[in-house]
Amino acid sequence: QVQLVESGGGLVQTGGSLRLSCAASGRTFSSYAMGWFRQAPGKEREFVAATTWSSGNTNYANSVKGRFTISRDNAKNTVYLQMNSLKPEDTAVYYCAARNNYQSAYAPRLTDAYDYWGQGTQVTVSS
């Protein structure tokens, strides 16, 4: 079993920055994809960003492209989401997700592509 623990959420003003972390533990990852999703009140969970451990390829939602950066630290089994130029519409609970034994170079955008999920961390951007 894999455990994912997010941290780094909080309250920030418009234009500010936050860095989210997702630490993976438990079963050893061989090759996998890691993603960030978010869910605002009354809305469906949506894709934010993803990366593959082996190729390092990334994928971003259009709404965050140029403002958010996903990165990984293989030695720490941790993936990060650097969020800059935050907007009130970025307010949501942010979830980390992982899929093990992932061989494709494409970083997946669909929730169904992921097997493991974290508990979420709240990000609130005030106007």
Side-chain angles (χ1 to χ4, degrees):
Q1 191 69 2
V2 173
Q3 292 80 42
L4 302 175
V5 179
E6 302 102 330
S7 60
L11 174 64
V12 65
Q13 292 185 334
T14 296
S17 298
L18 284 173
R19 189 176 81 155
L20 305 183
S21 299
C22 174
S25 62
R27 183 175 174 183
T28 302
F29 282 78
S30 56
S31 60
Y32 53 102
M34 296 289 290
W36 286 97
F37 292 77
R38 65 187 183 187
Q39 188 167 17
K43 295 188 177 181
E44 292 188 354
R45 191 169 298 188
E46 65 174 4
F47 170 76
V48 176
T51 186
T52 58
W53 224 254
S54 55
S55 68
N57 288 346
T58 58
N59 205 343
Y60 294 95
N62 288 337
S63 59
V64 306
K65 199 172 292 184
R67 299 188 298 124
F68 291 12
T69 302
I70 188 170
S71 62
R72 71 203 193 281
D73 185 328
N74 292 16
K76 295 182 178 180
N77 278 345
T78 300
V79 64
Y80 304 98
L81 186 67
Q82 178 66 44
M83 305 186 295
N84 298 329
S85 302
L86 283 161
K87 305 175 182 179
E89 50 264 45
D90 294 318
T91 295
V93 177
Y94 282 70
Y95 296 91
C96 174
R99 173 171 170 171
N100 200 7
N101 295 322
Y102 187 78
Q103 304 299 329
S104 173
Y106 174 76
R109 304 168 65 98
L110 299 179
T111 56
D112 289 349
Y114 294 89
D115 302 314
Y116 305 100
W117 293 84
Q119 82 288 349
T121 185
Q122 177 70 47
V123 171
T124 303
V125 184
S126 63
S127 57

